Amino acid sequence: MKVNSFCLTCLIQMQESQIRKFDDEDRKMRYMREVLAFLSSCNPDLSAPALVKPLSRIYEKYWGKRDSMAEVKREFNDFLLSMEEEIEEQIRKHSDPLEAALCFARTGNYIDYAAVKDISKDKLLDLFEEQEQAGLEKNEYDSFLKDMEQASKLVYLTDNCGEVVLDKIALKIIQERYPDLKVTAVVRGEPVVNDADLEAARYVGLDRVVKVMENGSGIAGTDLNDISDEARNEIKTADVILSKGQGNFETIHGCGLNIYYLFLCKCDWFVQKFEVERFKGMFVNERRIPQ
């Protein structure tokens, strides 16, 4: 998905918010001018997540390495792990545990430090209650089930830490329902924002449920032009792809593969595109999304 005016404005605001607390106004001005110069001349075909990587290099030039988000990642992984048994038990009581598991996994997409400025555990718990009752869009879910019955290979594109615990539950239930299905979960190739990487996947035990593969990229998404050949081949040869989060949508949408996107609408562009309220849960297919 190409960067648009919404994304461009958001990227600029994000850069300014990161330096607001600093005192050196002259350096802040030089930094913002370089940011604006870069964005005004960047490749217009790139997605917003792809642009974050070069913007990070500009940030480091002026301000040094960013603070690690390791503590935040661990905090939300631990928080969801503490509820894992209870959530899984709740999911299994539903008439359709697979649909319930996907709803919970979608709700975990709230834990996104790139798109949500005021993340709170209380809000997450509130969303769990709302999303549990929401269900998935019936026609799309029926199509998904038909595809899954015929599929031999599924690739699951993960997104954020914390959220990945809910992905683990969903993947466990998928494997129980489709025992002959080959399943691979794909995580980020480098630490980026609070996204799940191999270390996080191992920490929450995702690797004990399904095969886990790094994508070889430091972009907060799945850009087929930036990931490793191995990851690209894994994705392109899948019969069904489940893609979590806005970042994955922004980077891979338009490829034409059989992708089912599962995310919350967390920013103005998504709210406008899908004509829904903020934090509305979406379950849409790549091949059936209105242009």
Side-chain angles (χ1 to χ4, degrees), residues 2 25 27 41 55 60 84 94 105 115 121 125 129-130 141 149 154-155 188 215 235 242 277 281:
K2 296 179 181 180
E25 187 61 34
R27 194 194 306 182
S41 60
L55 285 171
E60 291 174 6
E84 180 182 6
H94 277 256
K121 294 175 182 176
L125 295 175
E129 291 187 17
E130 294 173 16
Y141 184 55
E149 288 292 343
L154 168 74
V155 167
R188 306 292 188 246
N215 70 4
I235 292 167
L242 264 171
E277 296 180 356

Side-chain angles (χ1 to χ4, degrees), residues 171-182:
L171 286 166
K172 189 186 297 186
I173 289 173
I174 285 172
Q175 288 211 305
E176 290 172 6
R177 186 154 174 171
Y178 306 99
D180 297 326
L181 188 67
K182 179 185 175 185

Side-chain angles (χ1 to χ4, degrees), residues 88-212:
E88 184 172 343
E89 183 179 343
Q90 192 173 341
I91 285 170
R92 291 185 181 279
K93 288 178 181 177
H94 277 256
S95 57
D96 185 347
L98 175 55
E99 181 178 15
L102 292 175
C103 284
F104 270 91
R106 178 176 66 184
T107 306
N109 189 233
Y110 166 76
I111 311 167
D112 183 351
Y113 275 79
V116 183
K117 296 180 176 63
D118 51 353
I119 291 176
S120 77
K121 294 175 182 176
D122 287 340
K123 176 65 175 177
L124 177 62
L125 295 175
D126 289 342
L127 287 171
F128 276 149
E129 291 187 17
E130 294 173 16
Q131 292 293 316
E132 185 181 5
Q133 304 301 320
L136 301 176
E137 199 279 323
K138 186 180 185 309
N139 290 338
E140 205 62 86
Y141 184 55
D142 287 344
S143 296
F144 171 73
L145 293 179
K146 288 177 185 176
D147 283 348
M148 289 292 282
E149 288 292 343
Q150 300 170 18
S152 60
K153 180 177 176 181
L154 168 74
V155 167
Y156 193 105
L157 305 178
T158 67
D159 195 18
N160 302 308
C161 284
E163 177 182 357
V164 75
V165 177
L166 303 167
D167 298 333
K168 175 185 168 186
I169 298 172
L171 286 166
K172 189 186 297 186
I173 289 173
I174 285 172
Q175 288 211 305
E176 290 172 6
R177 186 154 174 171
Y178 306 99
D180 297 326
L181 188 67
K182 179 185 175 185
V183 182
T184 301
V186 178
V187 299
R188 306 292 188 246
E190 301 173 16
V192 51
V193 200
N194 67 311
D195 290 9
D197 52 18
L198 190 57
E199 180 182 353
R202 288 171 174 165
Y203 183 78
V204 304
L206 182 63
D207 60 323
R208 297 193 294 272
V209 175
V210 296
K211 173 187 173 183
V212 177

Side-chain angles (χ1 to χ4, degrees), residues 263 265 267-282 284 289-291:
F263 59 86
C265 289
C267 71
D268 292 342
W269 183 84
F270 278 83
V271 166
Q272 177 173 289
K273 178 174 178 61
F274 293 102
E275 298 180 338
V276 296
E277 296 180 356
R278 192 170 185 239
F279 296 129
K280 168 70 176 175
M282 304 300 298
V284 292
I289 297 172
Q291 297 301 315

